[in-house]
Amino acid sequence: LEQALSQDGLPQEYFDWGNQLLRRLDKPVQVMVIGQPGSGKSAVIDMMLGQSVISRHADAPIIEVCYGPEDCVEVETRDGNTSRHLGTLAQISPSPETVRMRQELPDTRLLSHSFVEISLTGSAEQSHITLQRAARHADVILWCSETFGPAEQQLWAAVPDEKKDHSFLVLTMADRQIMRGTLTSLLAGLDGFAAEEFLGVYPLAAVQAITAQTAEQT
């Protein structure tokens, strides 16, 4: 694409489109991991990273995970001040004034994709606004929920269709549903809605997956 754009005589319209596409291809795919507090979002990201990086203790409205030369956390507070700390989010206790935390990791996989964790807190209207803003910037959306009930379904229904085409429903803490004997009926109940609203539905026991990945033995 770079070579094609360097040629003379390319119509301006196609040159502009090509430049826009090139800029997009140079950026990591942004994976938004969205859900209500306690829905297992951090565990899902940790599972995909193959290590406990965020942990359930790192609570902030927005948590970013991206590539960096070393393990480092940037913390932004409501007054706009930022501070940087060596280590991972699992080692940091954020203040109530924290609005954003950015985890940098020397993991080359993060050169091609980054994660953004979004917690839907407050009223239904506030959650709707947060979700719509997040969806505008997302390339892929993972909606994390234990049961994906009617309130969450209503929130998700308002997401633009072009974003739903790149979205997945992750039913977290599936081990609990299995122990209760409710996972099969839950999947059956969501089948019609999820088939229209998501590319796929994935029951996931992320904590057990992290344990398996980090165990000393295969």
Side-chain angles (χ1 to χ4, degrees), residues 111-124:
L111 292 170
S112 61
H113 61 273
S114 62
F115 297 103
V116 181
E117 178 182 322
I118 304 287
S119 287
L120 300 178
T121 57
S123 65

Side-chain angles (χ1 to χ4, degrees), residues 120-133 155:
L120 300 178
T121 57
S123 65
E125 182 179 359
Q126 289 172 319
S127 294
H128 171 78
I129 293 171
T130 300
L131 177 58
Q132 294 300 317
R133 287 177 178 169
L155 270 175

Side-chain angles (χ1 to χ4, degrees), residues 146 172-186 205 208:
E146 189 170 356
T172 54
M173 295 168 272
D175 53 306
R176 298 182 185 179
Q177 300 285 357
I178 292 171
M179 290 175 66
R180 296 174 190 144
T182 56
L183 182 59
T184 301
S185 59
L186 175 62
Q208 285 79 0

Side-chain angles (χ1 to χ4, degrees), residues 184-203:
T184 301
S185 59
L186 175 62
L187 289 170
L190 291 172
D191 185 55
F193 180 87
E196 293 292 328
E197 298 289 313
F198 295 95
L199 268 179
V201 180
Y202 294 90

Side-chain angles (χ1 to χ4, degrees), residues 1 37 40 68 70-71 79 96 112 121 130 132 135 139 148 150 152 154 159 173 176 195:
L1 183 55
E70 60 183 347
D71 291 353
D79 56 12
S112 61
T121 57
T130 300
Q132 294 300 317
D139 297 313
F148 197 61
E152 291 179 273
Q154 186 175 2
V159 171
M173 295 168 272
R176 298 182 185 179

Side-chain angles (χ1 to χ4, degrees), residues 38-55:
S39 59
K41 302 180 298 298
S42 296
V44 169
I45 295 176
D46 279 350
M47 186 206 74
M48 288 190 285
L49 292 171
Q51 57 179 313
S52 295
V53 174
I54 301 177
S55 94

